[in-house]
């Protein structure tokens, strides 16, 4: 089966974790017998756009094509704008950027199906390209379309609606997103199904590596995410400030980078907990796995989470996790069975949850073991690939 995958979020050598969940799925699909070429439309960034930020500078350095961990990837340019300006038209702009690239690919690679990740811009471009080539299109919704983009004006709403109505099948990575789809677009619900994300078993460290000296005799509480406000990192800092007097061995490590980094540092400084907190910035993926292997618990009280593969990775390492009720990971994390679920944007239940795991180490280990058993049996990328292939086969048969 020949497939074109379109994903705005896909790793490059400048950011190897960007869209890593799409890449891991692609690798699993290839291992399951699919032939895949990836198209990752990249913003055109000539001068002076390439001076706006490091992100835009990196865009200008991305090559037209390449191979990332064995996967052939094309990075055609399209006109985009900082801070999601004119989001509604991003799909049609991506379509024109991708079209000539895809025409060249099609000469030697007669694809049977397009799989687009996210409605804007990839899905909106994907359904148009599928119509042009008379092939079906599957669209996977990961979260932002139904949690952010849909609220960015009538134009964005209409483009997401158009994408979902023209898609042959709509894959949602969590029940939360299925419920949002039913709320906003009930007419497409009969073409929706939930296929949760997975994790890469090969990346999970089998044995804990020795912790660095600065973590010796510490109970490391870990977060790993882009540093945006809804991730709840500021709440974690407030929780640490309340708990370190009772648990002086508590040490909080924050992996990741983003627009909130300086504000979060200032909060930690104001709270007087800088000696109990480390902001590492962005670290390589394998390094993230090493931190997970050595931490005591993983805490990410994000209240805008479509799914959150990072929770699976922590659980796969046998760590108890704390997440928010009602988010995408709710249902995988079962409260006080294999983790803790707290109220969104609520400091008191967060403090209570962290304190429980710190003061009940045997229960924390038990939760972590149950978490590991669950995700290793039901949430791997290989299972995810098989479920998606079933979707492809059903569409092509019809």
């Amino acid at each position: 089966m020949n497939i074109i995958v379109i994903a705005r979020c896909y790793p490059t050598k400048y950011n190897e974790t960007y869209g890593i969940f799409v890449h891991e799925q692609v690798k699993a699909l290839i291992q399951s017998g699919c032939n895949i070429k990836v198209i990752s439309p990249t913003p055109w960034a000539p001068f002076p756009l390439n001076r706006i930020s490091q992100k835009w500078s990196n865009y200008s350095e991305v090559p037209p094509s390449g191979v990332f961990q064995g996967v052939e990837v094309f990075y055609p340019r399209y006109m985009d704008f900082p801070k999601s300006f004119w989001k509604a038209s991003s799909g049609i702009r991506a379509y024109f950027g991708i079209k000539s690239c895809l025409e060249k690919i099609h000469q030697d690679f007669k694809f049977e199906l397009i799989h687009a990740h996210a409605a804007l811009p990839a899905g909106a471009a994907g359904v148009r390209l599928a119509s042009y080539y008379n092939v079906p299109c599957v669209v996977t919704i990961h979260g932002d379309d139904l949690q952010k983009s849909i609220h960015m004006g009538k134009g964005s709403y209409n483009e997401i609606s158009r994408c979902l109505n023209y898609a042959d099948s709509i894959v949602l990575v969590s029940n939360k997103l299925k419920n949002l789809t039913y709320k906003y677009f009930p007419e497409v619900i009969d073409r929706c199904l939930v296929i949760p994300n997975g994790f890469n078993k090969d990346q999970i460290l089998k044995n804990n590596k020795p912790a660095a000296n600065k973590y010796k005799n510490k109970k490391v509480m870990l977060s790993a995410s882009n540093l945006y406000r809804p991730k709840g990192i500021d709440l974690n800092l407030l929780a640490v400030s309340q708990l370190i007097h009772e648990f002086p061995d508590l040490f909080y490590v924050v992996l990741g980078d983003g627009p909130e980094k300086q504000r979060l540092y200032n909060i930690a400084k104001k709270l007087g907990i800088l000696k109990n907190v480390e902001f590492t910035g962005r670290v390589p993926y394998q390094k993230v796995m090493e931190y997970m292997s050595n931490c005591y618990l993983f805490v990410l009280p994000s209240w805008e989470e479509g799914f959150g593969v990072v929770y699976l990775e922590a659980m796969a390492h046998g760590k108890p996790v704390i997440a928010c009720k009602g988010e995408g990971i709710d249902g995988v994390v079962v409260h006080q069975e294999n983790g803790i679920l707290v109220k969104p944007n609520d400091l008191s239940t967060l403090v209570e949850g962290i304190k429980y795991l710190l003061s009940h180490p045997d229960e924390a280990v038990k939760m972590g073991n149950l978490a590991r058993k669950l995700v290793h049996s039901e949430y791997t990328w290989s299972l995810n690939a098989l479920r998606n292939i079933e979707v492809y086969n059903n569409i092509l048969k019809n």
Side-chain angles (χ1 to χ4, degrees):
M1 188 184 306
N2 292 344
I3 300 168
I4 291 292
V5 168
I6 302 176
R8 170 67 190 88
C9 296
Y10 206 82
T12 68
K13 66 178 181 179
Y14 302 102
N15 189 348
E16 294 188 352
T17 60
Y18 183 56
I20 190 70
F21 49 89
V22 180
H23 176 65
E24 292 293 346
Q25 184 186 90
V26 167
K27 288 197 302 181
L29 287 167
I30 292 172
Q31 291 169 2
S32 298
C34 296
N35 302 310
I36 295 179
K37 294 185 187 297
V38 176
I39 297 179
S40 180
T42 301
W44 182 52
F47 179 84
L49 285 175
N50 62 352
R51 301 294 178 87
I52 291 175
S53 65
Q54 186 61 51
K55 179 176 76 171
W56 279 82
S57 176
N58 290 343
Y59 288 154
S60 68
E61 299 296 328
V62 173
S65 63
V67 176
F68 185 81
Q69 296 181 356
V71 178
E72 189 173 12
V73 188
F74 298 84
Y75 301 96
R77 293 322 197 253
Y78 77 106
M79 182 64 75
D80 201 16
F81 303 95
K83 300 187 182 299
S84 298
F85 286 136
W86 297 292
K87 181 79 171 182
S89 61
S90 62
I92 190 68
R93 285 184 270 115
Y95 164 78
F96 285 113
I98 294 169
K99 194 176 180 216
S100 60
C101 173
L102 192 54
E103 285 173 353
K104 294 177 183 178
I105 294 172
H106 190 253
Q107 293 173 9
D108 300 313
F109 186 72
K110 305 302 182 185
F111 53 90
E112 303 160 70
L113 181 142
I114 292 174
H115 189 164
H117 288 267
L120 289 178
V127 294
R128 289 176 168 92
L129 292 162
S131 177
Y132 182 83
Y133 286 98
N134 195 29
V135 297
C137 183
V138 175
V139 176
T140 293
I141 302 298
H142 293 277
D144 277 3
D145 295 306
L146 301 177
Q147 297 179 129
K148 296 179 182 177
S149 301
I150 198 172
H151 304 299
M152 296 176 70
K154 187 176 180 180
S156 291
Y157 178 94
N158 289 341
E159 268 297 286
I160 295 170
S161 175
R162 184 186 190 281
C163 170
L164 298 183
N165 275 281
Y166 275 85
D168 293 272
S169 185
I170 303 159
V171 175
L172 305 153
V173 298
S174 68
N175 285 319
K176 173 190 177 180
L177 296 180
K178 184 176 181 180
N179 293 336
L180 287 175
T181 303
Y182 184 75
K183 175 182 178 180
Y184 295 120
F185 308 107
E187 71 278 8
V188 305
I189 203 68
D190 61 328
R191 282 179 286 115
C192 293
L193 73 160
V194 175
I195 300 179
N197 286 326
F199 74 97
N200 186 342
K201 274 189 173 183
D202 296 335
Q203 297 288 352
I204 303 305
L205 302 182
K206 303 298 188 296
N207 300 301
N208 288 2
K209 292 190 174 183
N213 287 335
K214 58 186 168 184
Y215 304 138
K216 190 175 182 180
N217 301 321
K218 299 290 186 182
K219 284 189 174 179
V220 175
M221 171 176 136
L222 182 70
S223 296
S225 74
N226 292 320
L227 301 185
Y228 296 107
R229 191 70 173 266
K231 296 296 183 179
I233 305 300
D234 51 353
L235 292 178
N236 281 346
L237 294 170
L238 292 168
V240 169
S241 71
Q242 292 188 23
L243 291 166
I244 53 174
H245 301 293
E246 186 175 353
F247 303 96
D249 56 348
L250 177 61
F251 191 85
Y252 182 32
V253 178
V254 183
L255 308 181
D257 207 343
E260 287 283 291
K261 185 175 182 180
Q262 187 59 51
R263 188 180 78 88
L264 294 170
Y265 178 88
N266 292 340
I267 290 173
K269 184 177 181 180
K270 185 176 180 180
L271 292 170
I273 59 171
L274 283 177
K275 65 181 183 298
N276 303 91
V277 179
E278 180 182 7
F279 296 96
T280 68
R282 185 178 291 125
V283 299
Y285 181 74
Q286 193 56 37
K287 196 71 177 176
V288 176
M289 298 299 101
E290 291 180 18
Y291 275 101
M292 285 186 176
S293 178
N294 285 294
C295 74
Y296 179 82
L297 72 161
F298 182 87
V299 185
L300 188 65
S302 173
W303 61 85
E304 279 187 6
E305 206 69 45
F307 185 82
V309 171
V310 70
Y311 298 106
L312 293 185
E313 292 165 337
M315 295 169 78
H317 279 98
K319 307 302 177 180
V321 304
I322 295 180
C324 283
K325 295 177 182 177
E327 295 304 308
I329 202 66
D330 189 347
V332 181
V333 176
V334 180
H335 184 58
Q336 289 197 329
E337 182 176 316
N338 58 17
I340 299 288
L341 293 171
V342 300
K343 294 178 181 178
N345 201 12
D346 184 83
L347 180 60
S348 62
T349 56
L350 178 62
V351 171
E352 182 182 333
I354 297 171
K355 183 176 180 178
Y356 180 84
L357 292 175
L358 291 173
S359 57
H360 296 79
D362 292 341
E363 190 64 23
V365 170
K366 180 181 177 182
M367 287 185 185
N369 288 335
L370 287 173
R372 179 194 287 117
K373 183 178 179 181
L374 173 70
V375 299
H376 276 271
S377 63
E378 296 185 27
Y379 293 94
T380 63
W381 281 121
S382 57
L383 286 174
N384 173 282
L386 292 176
R387 291 163 183 157
N388 276 281
I389 289 171
E390 185 177 354
V391 173
Y392 304 159
N393 285 331
N394 288 338
I395 291 173
L396 292 171
K397 284 178 184 178
N398 294 326

